[in-house]
Amino acid sequence: DQQVKQNSPSLSVQEGRISILNCDYTNSMFDYFLWYKKYPAEGPTFLISISSIKDKNEDGRFTVFLNKSAKHLSLHIVPSQPGDSAVYFCAATFGLTHFETGNKLTFGGGTRVLVKP
Amino acid sequence: ETGVTQSPTHLIKTRGQQVTLRCSSQSGHNTVSWYQQALGQGPQFIFQYYREEENGRGNFPPRFSGLQFPNYSSELNVNALELDDSALYLCASSSGPRGYEQYFGPGTRLTVT
């Protein structure tokens, strides 16, 4: 049972254009969502997060949107740069309300982004 | 500030053997979580340690066990290795069990033959 899904395994975009990565979840108890970027031979690097009380969070070129009713979140990267080429994972947790079980992150399967110069 | 480190980088073991993987948390972080990432998949939560005690566990059998030490470093032990245990093992640290942003180490690539 995959509770977090990234339905696009790959995405190719031209440098300077917008990259849009999508993520769907099924567990309505999730109340905090994160995006990580992963380069080969490195661990995932935290990018940006959003709690369920917000619908948008921005940090520089990265913006995450959350649509709770649709159980959908997306990551926008504007403008895309060649250094953004990596695998992106969305993750979800219900840490805000279930702290006694620890902060378990549930990850999607990842989307490989290629930014062409 | 020192990031999360893991050792060894790569490891090859034979089915049935036992393995110990090590992790040093980022300075100031007292919580360590372990994840298994199979090829082409996202990381899967194994368990979390906070103040030297297990604080949450994923859907992994008891042959996966761990420890956390007073300096917050951690070990992951896997007994009776199976071929399906071949994966990248990631350690992540955070400031408390409610530290939602977890910071990952580079991982240990385990191959079971």
Side-chain angles (χ1 to χ4, degrees):
Chain A
D1 175 28
Q2 237 184 322
Q3 298 187 60
V4 178
K5 287 186 181 179
Q6 294 175 255
N7 291 317
S8 298
S10 63
L11 172 69
S12 182
V13 64
Q14 207 67 34
E15 180 180 3
R17 306 294 284 266
I18 184 172
S19 294
I20 300 177
L21 291 79
N22 294 303
C23 180
D24 297 296
Y25 62 96
T26 56
N27 190 338
S28 57
M29 291 172 64
F30 287 141
D31 56 16
Y32 201 83
F33 305 89
L34 307 91
W35 284 94
Y36 284 84
K37 176 170 74 174
K38 188 178 185 303
Y39 294 119
E42 294 184 14
T45 303
F46 169 72
L47 270 178
I48 192 170
S49 60
I50 188 169
S51 80
S52 58
I53 61 173
K54 294 185 175 181
D55 53 19
K56 178 182 174 181
N57 188 28
E58 281 184 85
D59 184 0
R61 296 186 297 115
F62 301 93
T63 303
V64 56
F65 296 92
L66 174 62
N67 182 336
K68 282 190 297 182
S69 61
K71 294 192 180 68
H72 177 85
L73 64 155
S74 61
L75 174 69
H76 292 206
I77 307 173
V78 184
S80 300
Q81 299 174 354
D84 295 331
S85 297
V87 178
Y88 290 77
F89 292 99
C90 70
T93 183
F94 37 77
L96 287 175
T97 52
H98 290 74
F99 62 90
E100 68 276 5
T101 61
N103 178 17
K104 162 189 171 180
L105 295 179
T106 301
F107 283 85
T111 296
R112 183 176 301 277
V113 173
L114 175 64
V115 180
K116 299 178 182 177
Chain B
E1 187 178 85
T2 309
V4 179
T5 60
Q6 293 185 243
S7 63
T9 307
H10 295 90
L11 204 50
I12 300 175
K13 288 285 189 178
T14 304
R15 191 171 50 182
Q17 287 188 315
Q18 178 265 343
V19 69
T20 297
L21 310 181
R22 294 179 175 82
C23 170
S24 291
S25 60
Q26 184 168 311
S27 60
H29 286 180
N30 57 14
T31 302
V32 172
S33 303
W34 286 91
Y35 293 81
Q36 180 196 66
Q37 185 180 13
L39 204 58
Q41 298 181 21
Q44 286 202 343
F45 177 76
I46 303 175
F47 43 56
Q48 181 182 84
Y49 278 83
Y50 170 60
R51 292 185 175 177
E52 303 178 55
E53 293 197 2
E54 189 178 288
N55 182 47
R57 188 179 182 93
N59 189 25
F60 281 81
R63 59 189 186 84
F64 285 78
S65 63
L67 281 174
Q68 187 180 33
F69 301 99
N71 66 354
Y72 306 130
S73 65
S74 177
E75 287 183 354
L76 164 65
N77 300 291
V78 187
N79 292 323
L81 284 167
E82 301 177 0
L83 297 179
D84 283 350
D85 296 333
S86 295
L88 180 68
Y89 288 85
L90 294 161
C91 167
S93 73
S94 55
S95 55
R98 299 192 73 180
Y100 313 115
E101 286 85 24
Q102 296 184 10
Y103 296 87
F104 284 82
T108 294
R109 171 73 61 187
L110 172 65
T111 302
V112 182
T113 61

